[in-house]
Structure formats: structure tokens, C-alpha cells
Amino acid sequence: MLISTNIAIAVRCSDCGSLRVHHTSLFELFTNRRTELVCTCGQHNAIIKTKDYKSLWMEISCFACQDKHLFKYTLKQLLRGNIITRCIESGIEICFMVSNGDVDELIEKYETDAEELYRELGFLDYFINPEIMMKSLDRIKELDNKGRLSCSCGDN
């Protein structure tokens, strides 16, 4: 019996909000002590570590709450199939892992539109003009990525 070790991991970027799919194999994940998943915008979204060759620890930078979440997955879970990881605070999907199927199909089934997420979080109701606020937040993130934001105390 052949077992596919290919795995696709899709993580939503905590910076730009895009969903990037990373293709790898379980052998690569378990032989590398540390694997970083990086978005096309340059943001480091997840770090995958293994210590005992039986389980993976995944630290995900959450786009929903802007915190870092730590999850543990066993080899058995990874081989079994589709894993959907949710933000601990909001319950929003932040990561999809597929070992025996189409990751795009899983994402399409569970992914929520960004505007719907903002509506769920109450973001659109909080501001008079949410479009301008979104543009402002995008600009602030852009400045932060370039290292152009700092406090009067001198810290970034």
C-alpha cells in the first residue's frame, strides 16, 4: 500500500491577508528541525518545528487577532487528511492542511470573504467610513514593514 507524503499548507498572511499555499512533504517537515512559511509579501506567517519525529509544532501568526498561536499535530493526524486550524479567540480559519486531496477545494469550502470577516468582527460597523480606515491601516502596515514607524522613546 502506497501512502502519499505530499502535503499542502495554506496560511493566511497576518500582514497582507492573502492566503498562500506551500507544497511540501511530510519527510521534509519531519527531517527539518525548523521550517518557515513566508508569504509573497515577505511576512513570516508560520514556523513548523519537530522535536521527536512523531509530532509537529506549528506557530502561526494570526491575521484575525494579531497574536501567535501554537498548535501540535501528530503524524497520524497529518496522514489522515484535511486539517483546518482556527484562531483561538475568534474561531476564524487561519490555516488549512491537506495531505490527500485538493487544498483549493478545502479552502473554497471553508474560506470566508474578507469583507464578511470584517463584518463578523464588527469592523465595518465601528467606523463611519471603513474603506478609508482600511486604506489607513494598509499604509501603516506598509510603513511598519519598511521600518519607518517608531515611538518617541526610540523603539520601533
Side-chain angles (χ1 to χ4, degrees), residues 11 34-37 44-49 56-62 67-73 85 94-95:
V11 180
R34 177 184 167 108
T35 303
E36 289 192 37
L37 303 181
H44 294 258
N45 291 316
I47 298 171
I48 303 170
K49 297 179 184 177
L56 290 177
W57 291 86
M58 189 168 185
E59 182 181 295
I60 301 173
S61 298
C62 182
D67 202 359
K68 291 186 187 263
H69 302 304
L70 186 63
F71 300 96
K72 179 184 177 182
Y73 303 104
T85 305
I94 57 174
C95 179

Side-chain angles (χ1 to χ4, degrees), residues 12 62-64 85-95 112 117 120-121:
R12 185 172 301 281
C62 182
F63 83 99
T85 305
R86 300 176 187 276
C87 171
I88 295 169
E89 291 184 25
S90 67
I92 296 170
E93 298 88 5
I94 57 174
C95 179
T112 310
L117 289 176
E120 282 178 23
L121 296 172

Side-chain angles (χ1 to χ4, degrees), residues 24-102:
T24 186
S25 75
L26 292 175
F27 287 117
E28 282 184 49
L29 291 177
F30 279 96
T31 55
N32 293 340
R33 290 280 183 208
R34 177 184 167 108
T35 303
E36 289 192 37
L37 303 181
V38 181
C39 180
T40 53
C41 74
Q43 178 70 19
H44 294 258
N45 291 316
I47 298 171
I48 303 170
K49 297 179 184 177
T50 182
K51 294 178 183 172
D52 57 5
Y53 300 106
K54 294 179 185 174
S55 58
L56 290 177
W57 291 86
M58 189 168 185
E59 182 181 295
I60 301 173
S61 298
C62 182
F63 83 99
C65 69
Q66 299 301 311
D67 202 359
K68 291 186 187 263
H69 302 304
L70 186 63
F71 300 96
K72 179 184 177 182
Y73 303 104
T74 64
L75 179 59
K76 191 174 187 178
Q77 287 174 311
L78 294 168
L79 287 172
R80 200 174 306 142
N82 303 341
I83 298 173
I84 300 160
T85 305
R86 300 176 187 276
C87 171
I88 295 169
E89 291 184 25
S90 67
I92 296 170
E93 298 88 5
I94 57 174
C95 179
F96 301 90
M97 288 188 272
V98 177
S99 61
N100 55 6
D102 184 16

Side-chain angles (χ1 to χ4, degrees), residues 107-122:
I107 291 168
E108 188 177 311
K109 182 177 178 182
Y110 285 95
E111 185 181 48
T112 310
D113 183 47
E115 191 171 315
E116 189 177 322
L117 289 176
Y118 294 138
R119 194 173 291 111
E120 282 178 23
L121 296 172

Side-chain angles (χ1 to χ4, degrees), residues 15 136-149:
D15 195 26
S136 300
L137 289 174
D138 287 342
R139 179 69 177 140
I140 291 169
K141 282 184 180 180
E142 183 182 316
L143 289 170
D144 185 38
N145 287 341
K146 293 179 180 177
R148 297 183 62 199
L149 286 182

